[in-house]
Amino acid sequence: MANPGGTFSVLGTDVIIRGDVEASADLHVDGKVIGNIACASLVQGEDSRIEGEIKAETARLSGEVQGTIAVRNLVVLKTAQINGDVSYDTLTIEQGASVEGRFAPLSAKSGQAAKPAAAKDKDADGQHGLSLAG
């Protein structure tokens, strides 16, 4: 988790939020959010749905997302279904994940949406990271 202090918030399976969610802590979403999410670290449950923009330092997505994603370190698990453009510094996609949209490094998005706080454009070798997990 991005927050070593151990603070996190959970939106349970029975929760539906209509509106934007901002959290200074880490966020775990198992329910449904119809709105934008901005947080330090996001973990999305398999049965959850997010309809809106996601901005975070790190995210681990395994549910359904309808909207744009701007995340420094992104992991898309095999159960994820994403429909929207994805901006990242490092990206891991498990085999079986469904992504419908464009991929671009965060640095290519300059002038559009602001990057998550303290985001670095490139790894130690000066390259953007992309990996496919089996």
Side-chain angles (χ1 to χ4, degrees), residues 71-91:
V71 175
R72 182 175 164 223
N73 298 308
L74 178 61
V75 176
V76 181
L77 300 176
K78 63 184 176 184
T79 55
Q81 298 177 352
I82 297 172
N83 188 347
D85 294 344
V86 178
S87 299
Y88 62 91
D89 272 340
T90 60
L91 174 65

Side-chain angles (χ1 to χ4, degrees), residues 40-111:
S41 180
L42 175 66
V43 176
Q44 181 192 32
E46 286 185 23
D47 296 324
S48 72
R49 179 176 171 88
I50 298 170
E51 297 177 20
E53 181 178 290
I54 296 172
K55 286 187 182 181
E57 280 291 310
T58 64
R60 188 172 181 87
L61 306 178
S62 60
E64 187 175 348
V65 177
Q66 297 283 327
T68 60
I69 299 169
V71 175
R72 182 175 164 223
N73 298 308
L74 178 61
V75 176
V76 181
L77 300 176
K78 63 184 176 184
T79 55
Q81 298 177 352
I82 297 172
N83 188 347
D85 294 344
V86 178
S87 299
Y88 62 91
D89 272 340
T90 60
L91 174 65
T92 302
I93 302 175
E94 281 189 345
Q95 184 175 353
S98 171
V99 181
E100 183 79 30
R102 294 179 298 207
F103 290 95
L106 278 171
S107 60
K109 299 282 287 180
S110 63

Side-chain angles (χ1 to χ4, degrees), residues 6-67:
T7 303
F8 65 95
S9 298
V10 177
L11 302 177
T13 56
D14 61 332
V15 175
I16 298 174
I17 294 184
R18 297 180 199 287
D20 296 344
V21 176
E22 292 184 32
S24 58
D26 300 338
L27 184 62
H28 187 111
V29 177
D30 283 324
K32 183 175 184 178
V33 176
I34 303 170
N36 300 328
I37 294 178
C39 61
S41 180
L42 175 66
V43 176
Q44 181 192 32
E46 286 185 23
D47 296 324
S48 72
R49 179 176 171 88
I50 298 170
E51 297 177 20
E53 181 178 290
I54 296 172
K55 286 187 182 181
E57 280 291 310
T58 64
R60 188 172 181 87
L61 306 178
S62 60
E64 187 175 348
V65 177
Q66 297 283 327

